[in-house]
Amino acid sequence: MHKANLNLLPTLKVLLETRNISRAAELLHLSQPSISKQLNQLRGEFGDELLVREGQRWLLTPRAESLAAALADPLGALARLYEAPGFEPARCERVFRLASSDYVAQHILPDICAALARAAPLAALEYSLWDKRQLPQLWQSELDLVSTITELVPDQIRGLHQGEDRLVMLMGRHHPLSGTAPTLEDYLAWPHLQVSGGGDKDSPVEQVLMPQGLSRRWFARVPFFQAAVEVLLRTDCLMTTPAHIAWQLSQEHGLSFCDLPFATRTQQYHLLWHQRHHQDPAHQWFRELAYPFLREHLQRTLGESRKQLAESRKQLDESHKPLGRS
């Protein structure tokens, strides 16, 4: 059995109260290197990072927050302090917080909720729409998990890669371009629609068009995919969106999609969380529950979209073949 080093407890208490190595060194009349060394020892004692650096500040992990509460209660605190944190889903009453787009809310969240209700019936889930511009401030958010598109994952952010997709052109089946192979001129000739909720998914297009001095004519920007579907069904707008989303929406509505007339960088999908949650047993359990649903949906719909695009290209090639001689 591991023997606890109780000599480190004064340092632990001051570190948890000040969240500052320099200030802890002053209060304990020790050098900063000495405090840093003791912090590393404490991390080994508890099997947790305890304090995580975020820019110029230090954040407490969930385990550190529980230790701070235990140290504030002198009766029985020492006995509870070194108990390994346990997690029993059936007894969990935590509110898990997940953020992503309204597309995820409609097509993936119900599966996550059903699994959560079966395994942890006393727990709850709070879902919110995500704007990827908030990613650098994730440290100060109450969110547990974020499913989003991003190229760069900031320091102190952990994650799992769900997969990648590419952009396509989505439109109503009534659109003159439906069932064709549009050119760049075609793409620019029609009004465009954008889903603004969940972050800007169209920035790769601007990276292609802007160096050429080209731009799209915007008709509307709407916050939700369902609103975008209704606009596409009633107008001649085009919408640039990831292929797996285009395939899913085209299965449910009178929409069609095709390749863009130019190449763009791929869209990288990640499930992200802040480093301070990484070793929290409840958080680890929840992300292991949610991740398979997110990845499986992306991979399945992505595969279907590729098959449909390949079939569409084949049909177009055959329709343009010259007639054979009799």
Side-chain angles (χ1 to χ4, degrees):
M1 181 176 177
H2 173 73
K3 184 178 181 181
N5 185 354
L6 301 182
N7 294 325
L8 294 173
L9 290 184
T11 299
L12 174 65
K13 188 173 189 299
V14 174
L15 280 172
L16 296 181
E17 290 174 349
T18 63
R19 305 185 187 193
N20 187 296
I21 289 180
S22 300
R23 180 61 179 152
E26 292 176 10
L27 292 174
L28 293 168
H29 304 290
L30 296 170
S31 67
Q32 288 189 32
S34 177
I35 294 295
S36 295
K37 181 179 179 181
Q38 290 187 44
L39 174 57
N40 286 332
Q41 290 176 298
L42 285 163
R43 285 168 169 165
E45 289 272 327
F46 291 100
D48 187 272
E49 290 196 54
L50 301 178
L51 280 85
V52 177
R53 193 171 188 83
E54 176 67 49
Q56 298 301 312
R57 60 183 68 79
W58 291 86
L59 306 177
L60 299 186
T61 67
R63 181 75 192 280
E65 291 174 350
S66 69
L67 293 175
L71 285 169
D73 173 17
L75 296 177
L78 290 180
R80 295 191 301 270
L81 203 60
Y82 283 90
E83 292 178 357
F87 179 71
E88 298 179 43
R91 301 177 64 182
C92 174
E93 298 182 7
R94 175 170 169 168
V95 177
F96 294 103
R97 293 176 170 85
L98 170 64
S100 191
S101 68
D102 70 302
Y103 174 87
V104 170
Q106 182 173 352
H107 294 95
I108 308 174
L109 181 62
D111 290 331
I112 295 175
C113 285
L116 180 65
R118 287 192 299 269
L122 301 179
L125 192 149
E126 182 176 313
Y127 189 91
S128 58
L129 292 179
W130 172 249
D131 184 333
K132 70 178 184 181
R133 291 172 295 186
Q134 300 171 340
L135 190 55
Q137 282 76 48
L138 188 58
W139 65 272
Q140 59 186 358
S141 168
E142 293 185 348
L143 290 172
D144 291 298
L145 295 172
V146 172
S147 179
T148 187
I149 297 170
T150 185
E151 288 296 312
L152 299 175
V153 178
D155 291 341
Q156 299 302 330
I157 302 295
R158 292 290 189 107
L160 292 167
H161 188 233
Q162 299 171 32
E164 64 178 31
D165 197 2
R166 59 194 181 91
L167 296 173
V168 297
M169 189 190 315
L170 181 64
M171 68 203 81
R173 290 179 192 157
H174 66 274
H175 199 289
L177 295 182
S178 181
T180 71
T183 65
L184 177 58
E185 290 73 20
D186 294 328
Y187 182 79
L188 297 175
W190 295 90
H192 286 258
L193 175 68
Q194 183 184 51
V195 175
S196 56
D200 176 16
K201 296 178 175 61
D202 291 334
S203 57
V205 172
E206 313 308 331
Q207 293 175 0
V208 174
L209 297 182
M210 287 182 64
Q212 303 179 60
L214 302 174
S215 63
R216 291 173 285 179
R217 175 167 62 92
W218 291 105
F219 173 75
R221 289 182 171 90
V222 298
F224 307 120
F225 277 96
Q226 189 56 47
V229 166
E230 296 300 326
V231 174
L232 290 175
L233 291 173
R234 302 182 191 193
T235 70
D236 286 333
C237 282
L238 303 174
M239 188 169 83
T240 305
T241 194
H244 78 282
I245 293 178
W247 178 84
Q248 182 70 54
L249 297 180
S250 71
Q251 299 303 297
E252 302 169 349
H253 307 281
L255 303 173
S256 67
F257 64 100
C258 64
D259 291 310
L260 289 174
F262 48 85
T264 63
R265 62 177 171 81
T266 58
Q267 307 273 279
Q268 303 295 326
Y269 285 81
H270 299 268
L271 182 64
L272 304 175
W273 59 91
H274 194 272
Q275 170 69 25
R276 67 194 182 100
H277 295 301
H278 188 64
Q279 292 169 305
D280 176 29
H283 189 280
Q284 182 178 355
W285 176 85
F286 179 58
R287 65 184 185 249
E288 289 177 353
L289 178 141
Y291 175 72
F293 291 107
L294 293 159
R295 178 174 171 79
E296 187 279 330
H297 179 88
L298 174 61
Q299 296 300 325
R300 177 177 56 81
T301 53
L302 179 58
E304 295 294 339
S305 71
R306 287 173 175 167
K307 287 193 290 186
Q308 186 159 325
L309 286 169
E311 181 62 27
S312 298
R313 287 191 291 267
K314 180 180 178 182
Q315 291 176 0
L316 284 170
D317 289 342
E318 290 177 350
S319 67
H320 288 87
K321 284 182 179 179
L323 296 176
R325 295 180 181 177
S326 56

